[in-house]
Amino acid sequence: MLKATRSLAVGTAAAALLVSSFTLTSASAATDSAGHHRPKPHAAPQTLATLGQKAGLRIGTAVNTDALADDAPYRAKVASEFSTVTPENVMKWEAVEPQRGTYNWAAADELVDFAKKNGQLVRGHTLVWHSQLPAWLNNGDFTPEELREILHQHITDQVTHFKGKIWQWDVVNEAFNDDGTMRDSIWLQKLGPGYIADAFRWAHEADPKAKLFINDYNVEGVNAKSTALYDLVTDLRKQHVPVHGVGIQGHLGVQYSAPHDIADNMLRFDRLGLETAITEADVRMPMPADSTKLEAQAEGYGVLLRGCLLTPRCNVFTVWGFSDKYSWVPGTFPGQGAANILDENNMAKPAYGTLRQTLTLAAGRH
């Protein structure tokens, strides 16, 4: 695991503003013996992964495995720009167990093998969620006892299959409503709130070395939802439940205020001794894109990254895809899109430059 060695000041959101106020300066040109300026040789361009390593932070991406197989430029970007990968869909329940007791690991195994070949770590996503469940589970009329055993078996089988190959698991995903109440999912309805602790215990039994996360959206700043999440993990820790980290998704939109209190929020979890991660960063916009929206998008990405850099135990910053060509946003939010750091032709947008600059500044403050 990459150890965080960054020495940024922490503790207040004001520190984030301090980081954003710095600007990069160009290196002075060298001179020859006659006093003439000569240009310095150009170093090979550094990727987000290498810049992140210097800043003490892993930089990851969600991966569309169809694109990984069929799109060579996409595959090259995944391999070169990132030090961790997250499967966008192929580890979700409907993909790995389409029929009860019959598993299909092929696509997920291919991604894990790809990551190993390229020296990348894998974030497993996700074991327990209310969405993208197989039809046999959604439509089955199971008793609470039967459903509990099904969940136990699924977690055990999936974590065991990937034992030793997954760095961090998103064990429980999106368990809360925005008002801080628990989501009325099939799991809560039939198993009660204790399903969360059970899921973590079962995952830990299957792979004691994997880091286990609870993951959610709209928990970037201090609000009812993030406070409910904080209260839950505080209680789980008191019960010695093996929850190791909190995943903060980071799905933003330029039409909404950026969460400038993210560092204050993340530090709450940090003080509990929990790891944190930005797990699904993207910043969508009403289409068409323009320069103003692109600059607002860059600031959104910057706010998320600075929040992570200012939190000592935040150890990975993951973008939810990097190319607009494969973004999930247009299919979910009609009329919105352009949410990623590269456009549909894999050309860098201002957001990509903001990530590079911020990581460069963070590395320079050791």
Side-chain angles (χ1 to χ4, degrees):
M1 183 189 302
L2 182 70
K3 294 184 178 179
T5 58
R6 57 186 179 269
S7 59
L8 290 169
V10 295
T12 66
L17 299 177
L18 176 64
V19 173
S20 66
S21 69
F22 280 82
T23 56
L24 293 174
T25 57
S26 59
S28 58
T31 57
D32 60 22
S33 57
H36 298 121
H37 288 283
R38 63 176 188 272
K40 297 182 71 173
H42 291 290
Q46 297 190 79
T47 66
L48 293 177
T50 56
L51 290 171
Q53 183 178 32
K54 292 178 181 180
L57 184 66
R58 288 192 177 271
I59 307 298
T61 184
V63 176
N64 179 316
T65 53
D66 290 337
L68 191 72
D70 299 334
D71 186 333
Y74 177 94
R75 185 165 58 251
K77 287 289 186 184
V78 174
S80 64
E81 285 282 355
F82 305 99
S83 55
T84 73
V85 294
T86 302
E88 191 168 319
N89 287 300
V90 297
M91 286 188 190
K92 292 172 180 173
W93 201 326
E94 70 175 1
V96 299
E97 194 181 2
Q99 290 83 40
R100 185 177 181 183
T102 302
Y103 289 97
N104 181 3
W105 307 113
D109 284 341
E110 289 175 7
L111 178 59
V112 170
D113 291 343
F114 177 90
K116 182 177 181 180
K117 178 181 178 181
N118 290 284
Q120 297 164 318
L121 297 182
V122 181
R123 296 196 78 258
H125 180 81
T126 175
L127 296 175
V128 187
W129 193 24
H130 66 276
S131 185
Q132 291 185 249
L133 297 172
W136 65 264
L137 181 56
N138 277 326
N139 299 331
D141 186 21
F142 301 109
T143 67
E145 293 75 19
E146 289 172 330
L147 189 64
R148 188 173 190 273
E149 181 51 37
I150 288 170
L151 182 60
H152 186 184
Q153 190 68 49
H154 172 75
I155 291 172
T156 300
D157 289 349
Q158 183 156 350
V159 177
T160 299
H161 178 81
F162 294 106
K163 184 176 181 179
K165 300 177 181 180
I166 301 295
W167 174 39
Q168 298 176 351
W169 272 111
D170 288 333
V171 176
V172 175
N173 194 47
E174 300 176 2
F176 287 95
N177 298 312
D178 283 348
D179 64 2
T181 59
M182 297 201 75
R183 183 184 293 276
D184 189 27
S185 66
I186 183 176
W187 311 115
L188 185 68
Q189 290 170 13
K190 291 204 170 185
L191 305 182
Y195 82 88
I196 296 176
D198 286 339
F200 277 92
R201 291 187 176 109
W202 295 333
H204 185 65
E205 289 171 1
D207 187 353
K209 293 185 178 180
K211 296 292 186 177
L212 307 181
F213 278 62
I214 186 167
N215 189 54
D216 219 319
Y217 66 92
N218 287 353
V219 293
E220 293 78 22
V222 178
N223 55 37
K225 191 174 189 179
S226 64
T227 298
L229 178 59
Y230 175 83
D231 291 342
L232 173 66
V233 294
T234 299
D235 185 57
L236 292 174
R237 299 278 285 185
K238 289 178 180 177
Q239 298 177 49
H240 304 290
V241 175
V243 54
H244 306 126
V246 172
I248 295 171
Q249 291 185 10
H251 294 296
L252 306 183
V254 300
Q255 62 272 45
Y256 309 113
S257 298
H260 287 282
D261 57 347
I262 185 171
D264 293 329
N265 180 43
M266 294 180 73
L267 283 165
R268 297 194 293 173
F269 299 103
D270 199 85
R271 294 185 188 108
L272 292 177
L274 290 166
E275 296 179 13
T276 50
I278 302 296
T279 56
E280 305 183 22
D282 57 20
V283 185
R284 63 188 183 272
M285 64 185 68
M287 298 300 288
D290 59 34
S291 59
T292 300
K293 294 173 187 175
L294 290 171
E295 289 301 327
Q297 178 182 69
E299 174 60 11
Y301 273 101
V303 166
L304 292 172
L305 179 56
R306 293 194 297 268
C308 183
L309 287 166
L310 289 163
T311 308
R313 291 185 179 87
C314 186
N315 51 30
V316 59
F317 179 91
T318 297
V319 293
W320 200 247
F322 57 90
S323 172
D324 288 340
K325 184 176 181 180
Y326 299 106
S327 173
W328 68 290
V329 168
T332 305
F333 298 95
Q336 299 185 53
N340 299 118
I341 58 176
L342 306 183
D343 68 15
E344 292 187 355
N345 297 311
N346 286 336
M347 298 299 292
K349 295 157 69 175
Y352 178 80
T354 292
L355 296 185
R356 289 182 58 87
Q357 182 183 69
T358 303
L359 291 169
T360 300
L361 289 167
R365 290 171 60 82
H366 283 310

